RNA sequence: GUGGUUGUAGCUCAGCUGGUUAGAGCGCUUGAUUGUGGUUCAAGAGGUCGCCGGUUCGAAACCGGUCUUCCACCCCA
């Protein structure tokens, strides 16, 4: 009995068309990573559990895919643990490895392990899949690609400036207009918490604030109250709920509000420096805006927090994010090394481009010339021609069997091939070949002895 | 992890309060067309109705479980 095949929830197969489009995005991101001077590394798909567990908070731990030990792993569990049936004590005994949850923590591990051979400041990029045991939704998968660029060993805020330029360069080349690069700073958030007297509740406070867009000021206040933030404290937040206007208008409100907090003032200064410097270096095609409600990744970000929102006309969360973590490698024993980085969510960028129809029309021209097959002798001549076209870098192929011409044409149509070449008995005899333009239907005859005439015309028309 | 939602031909979907042989469009195959695709016409192939169980004389339809899809939480790219 044949079993009905399936793939795990939240995973996907990719068709040739999809892979082609994914590679298009992938290559543009990669190109700009390299233009900005980043070097590639790769790390294993799975890490030792203790490298990952505890680095993303309780919620993160829940979403890490654990790998069961090999062998007779249950036998090695002591009776007490076994009978207790408690996940948190049992898991470490039967699982010592886990799938990569993001690229940042493995990178921190990499830096610590290779600290003696790394030439600091180290700018690395990494484009690999990560796995999360999350419940899938649109734009949310259990296996997806992240494309990260990070710098370690550089404290300067100029890094942040460059990352904003990098985001902008990628989205500009992808033709994606209307993205919003949102900027915040943990010091600002900490400053606010300090000013309202809720330092201890920083995380709860920011998580609630993060929802302002979504659930509105009233519900945010309710959530804050539920988390134990006093009514007095919440009242002091009032300026934030109505914060709007240009970046400089927002900065001056924040400056005022945080004047009594040293840390908060520092954060405002940093925001101001980044925004001013980006402005001086030239215009961005994306929007760059301050957003004090932005609070992702707070478990390790210590300074800048960056998040990229998809254009407003598409329903997609963030398509990228990043920030600065002053002491990320500290958790692996290397202190005093600052890191800052950004990430592109490849799968989400893909979905946005698809929804807006922004992939180039020619992207699925995976074959540029198809030679039809009229029989054994003709096919040999056609393969000879195909071989020389390939040497010119043209994506060329010969139909593998002498099927009905109608069928071969249909195949060419479906493959989106712009040119079909016919070498039948007549052409073989006269030492010529006929090129049919599939769009216009025009047919031109060329001499076999001079394929370059066709190649030149082809290159002019296709443009490469 | 909580609550909801979806699943019928390769694809998109109809299928009435349970009733005989489960349909359409597109796609596919063949022919009109033995060297010319997209258009047209004709014919044809293709279905464990997601899976398992239950109710019933009778289930694609009702009930339970399970898997999957999408959505809202949680959290996140």
């Amino acid at each position: 009995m044949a079993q009905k095949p399936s793939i795990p929830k939240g995973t996907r197969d990719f068709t040739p068309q999809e892979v082609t489009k994914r590679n298009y995005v992938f290559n543009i991101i990669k190109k700009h990573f390299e233009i900005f001077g980043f070097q590639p590394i790769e790390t294993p798909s799975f890490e030792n559990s203790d490298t990952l567990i505890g680095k993303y908070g309780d919620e993160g731990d829940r979403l890490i895919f654990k790998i069961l030990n090999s062998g007779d792993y249950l036998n090695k569990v002591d009776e007490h643990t076994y009978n207790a049936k408690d996940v948190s004590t049992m898991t470490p005994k039967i699982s010592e490895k886990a799938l990569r949850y993001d690229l940042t923590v493995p990178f921190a591990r990499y830096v610590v392990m290779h600290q003696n051979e790394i030439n600091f400041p180290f700018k690395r990029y990494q484009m690999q899949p990560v796995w999360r045991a999350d419940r899938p939704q649109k734009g949310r998968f259990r296996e997806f690609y992240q494309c990260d660029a990070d710098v370690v060993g550089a404290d300067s805020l100029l890094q942040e400036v460059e990352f904003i330029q990098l985001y902008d360069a990628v989205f500009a080349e992808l033709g994606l207009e209307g993205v919003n690069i949102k900027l915040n700073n943990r010091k600002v958030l900490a400053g606010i918490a300090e000013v309202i007297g809720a330092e201890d509740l920083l995380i709860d406070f920011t998580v609630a604030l993060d929802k302002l867009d979504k659930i509105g000021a009233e519900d945010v206040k309710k959530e804050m109250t539920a988390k134990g933030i006093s009514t007095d404290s919440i009242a002091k937040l009032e300026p934030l709920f109505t914060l709007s206007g240009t970046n400089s208008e927002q900065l001056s409100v924040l400056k005022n509000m945080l004047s009594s907090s040293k840390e908060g003032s520092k954060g405002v200064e940093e925001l101001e420096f980044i925004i001013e410097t980006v402005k001086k270096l030239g215009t961005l095609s994306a929007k760059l805006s301050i957003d004090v409600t932005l609070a992702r990744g707070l478990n390790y970000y210590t300074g800048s927090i960056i998040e990229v929102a998809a254009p407003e006309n598409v329903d997609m969360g963030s398509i990228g994010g990043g920030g600065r973590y002053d002491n990320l490698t500290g958790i692996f024993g290397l202190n005093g090394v600052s890191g800052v980085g950004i990430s592109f969510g490849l799968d989400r960028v893909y979905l946005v481009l698809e929804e807006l129809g922004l992939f180039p029309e020619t992207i699925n021209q995976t074959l540029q010339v198809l030679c039809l097959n009229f029989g054994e002798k003709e096919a040999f001549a056609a393969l000879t021609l195909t071989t020389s076209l390939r040497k010119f870098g043209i994506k060329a192929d010969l139909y593998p069997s002498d099927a009905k011409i109608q069928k071969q044409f249909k195949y060419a149509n479906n493959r989106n091939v712009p040119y079909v070449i016919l070498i039948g008995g007549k052409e073989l005899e006269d030492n010529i070949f006929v090129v049919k333009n599939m769009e216009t239907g025009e047919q031109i005859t060329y001499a076999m002895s001079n394929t370059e005439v066709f190649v030149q015309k082809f290159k002019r028309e296709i443009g490469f």
Side-chain angles (χ1 to χ4, degrees):
Chain A
M1 194 62 176
Q3 78 175 100
K4 192 170 188 173
S6 65
I7 55 174
K9 187 198 294 197
T11 66
R12 298 150 296 160
D13 283 330
F14 298 111
T15 63
Q17 290 75 23
E18 288 165 336
V19 173
T20 305
K21 289 181 190 168
R22 287 169 63 86
N23 284 344
Y24 163 79
V25 178
F26 193 90
N27 289 335
I28 286 177
I29 294 172
K30 182 177 168 181
K31 180 180 111 185
H32 288 282
F33 280 172
E34 291 182 352
I35 286 176
F36 276 73
F38 291 88
Q39 292 178 281
I41 67 160
E42 293 193 9
T43 62
S45 303
F46 53 97
E47 295 271 351
N48 292 326
S49 296
D50 48 18
T51 301
L52 305 181
I53 304 288
K55 307 301 189 294
Y56 310 100
D58 291 345
E59 196 59 33
D61 286 353
R62 203 193 83 211
L63 299 176
I64 292 173
F65 273 109
K66 286 100 185 165
I67 298 173
L68 219 44
N69 289 346
S70 312
D72 197 3
Y73 54 85
L74 268 189
N75 236 334
K76 297 176 182 166
V77 180
D78 60 89
E79 284 299 308
H80 178 75
T81 310
Y82 186 81
N83 291 327
K85 290 187 180 169
D86 178 66
V87 177
S88 59
T89 50
M90 179 76 113
T91 306
K93 307 220 169 171
I94 60 174
S95 165
E96 288 157 5
K97 298 174 286 299
L99 288 178
R100 182 169 57 212
Y101 176 88
D102 74 354
L103 300 178
T104 306
V105 169
F107 174 53
R109 194 222 77 225
Y110 176 98
V111 169
V112 174
M113 286 183 68
H114 296 266
Q115 54 184 287
N116 294 323
E117 58 201 77
I118 289 174
N119 186 10
F120 291 99
F122 181 41
K123 297 179 79 170
R124 87 85 172 75
Y125 76 87
Q126 191 172 350
M127 308 171 79
Q128 291 188 275
V130 301
W131 294 269
R132 293 183 189 179
D134 206 352
R135 194 173 285 205
Q137 286 179 33
K138 186 176 187 177
R140 197 168 215 199
F141 308 100
R142 301 180 109 182
E143 176 182 62
F144 61 97
Y145 266 77
Q146 287 193 333
C147 310
D148 276 32
D150 291 80
V151 186
V152 285
D155 296 333
S156 164
L157 288 175
L158 292 176
Q159 304 306 328
E160 272 90 335
V161 172
E162 286 193 58
F163 280 122
I164 288 163
Q165 291 181 316
L166 175 52
Y167 263 138
D168 191 59
V170 169
F171 293 126
E173 178 158 357
L174 289 171
L176 185 57
E177 289 168 14
V179 300
N180 185 4
I181 303 173
K182 300 191 279 191
L183 196 60
N184 196 9
N185 196 300
R186 188 199 174 108
K187 291 168 191 158
V188 170
L189 292 170
I192 296 169
E194 183 190 330
V195 167
I196 67 169
E199 289 105 316
D200 305 342
L201 298 167
L202 176 63
I203 300 282
D204 287 333
F205 152 72
T206 50
V207 165
L209 188 60
D210 197 338
K211 294 176 187 164
L212 183 59
D213 266 3
K214 214 168 175 179
I215 63 177
E218 286 316 305
D219 285 344
V220 169
K221 288 177 194 171
K222 268 184 214 158
E223 183 166 333
M224 287 182 176
T225 309
K227 294 290 182 184
I229 298 170
S230 73
T231 327
D232 271 4
S233 300
I234 294 172
K236 291 182 190 157
L237 286 174
E238 210 51 53
L240 287 189
F241 293 132
T242 54
L243 192 61
S244 65
T246 64
N247 287 333
S248 40
E249 282 163 6
Q250 294 195 36
L251 279 171
S252 69
V253 172
L254 289 172
K255 237 182 238 176
N256 243 321
M257 184 175 177
L258 298 174
S259 58
S260 64
S261 161
K262 200 173 162 192
E263 188 175 15
S265 300
K266 180 84 171 57
V268 176
E269 238 172 72
E270 290 190 11
L271 280 178
E272 188 166 28
F273 175 82
I274 294 166
I275 285 182
E276 286 305 311
T277 311
V278 168
K279 201 193 272 177
K280 281 182 206 155
L281 285 166
T283 342
L284 297 181
S285 56
K287 188 175 157 200
L288 174 64
S289 57
I290 291 176
D291 183 352
V292 287
T293 68
L294 181 58
R296 302 299 168 84
L298 215 62
N299 279 312
Y300 42 75
Y301 293 139
T302 54
S304 302
I305 302 171
I306 307 169
E307 184 166 296
V308 183
E312 277 174 16
N313 52 342
V314 287
D315 181 27
M316 182 67 63
S318 69
I319 55 177
R324 181 174 286 273
Y325 29 87
D326 274 331
N327 195 21
L328 186 73
T329 56
I331 52 178
F332 297 119
L334 177 63
N335 288 306
V337 179
S338 180
V340 55
I342 59 169
S343 177
F344 289 83
L346 178 74
D347 304 78
R348 288 194 177 174
V349 172
Y350 175 100
L351 287 171
V352 170
L353 293 178
E354 189 70 283
E355 195 167 332
L356 297 176
L358 292 177
F359 285 107
E361 262 177 49
T362 54
I363 198 156
N364 273 315
Q365 265 178 18
T366 49
L367 190 57
Q368 296 167 313
V369 173
L370 179 72
C371 293
L372 300 196
N373 189 325
F374 284 83
E376 210 176 310
K377 282 183 194 155
E378 294 90 340
F380 182 77
L383 189 53
T384 308
L385 177 61
T386 302
T387 303
S388 71
L389 292 178
R390 285 173 178 164
K391 284 183 179 151
F392 284 106
I394 295 172
K395 295 173 197 159
D397 208 356
L398 165 68
Y399 196 88
S401 67
D402 60 344
K404 288 182 66 168
I405 294 310
Q406 201 177 175
K407 187 178 169 139
Q408 297 191 41
F409 263 109
K410 212 162 196 175
Y411 175 82
N413 246 3
N414 292 340
R415 282 286 309 262
N416 214 1
V417 180
Y419 295 98
V420 165
I421 288 181
L422 298 95
I423 303 174
K426 271 188 306 204
E427 288 79 10
L428 191 60
E429 210 166 292
D430 297 346
N431 229 355
I432 55 172
F433 62 93
V434 172
V435 178
K436 174 163 181 157
N437 180 320
M438 291 297 278
E439 203 183 324
T440 62
E442 177 194 36
Q443 299 197 163
I444 300 178
T445 303
Y446 297 91
M448 281 288 198
S449 55
N450 201 355
T451 57
E452 219 165 315
V453 177
F454 165 64
V455 173
Q456 291 316 323
K457 182 174 161 64
F458 173 89
K459 290 196 172 179
R460 248 179 285 125
E461 287 178 5
I462 293 285
F464 71 83

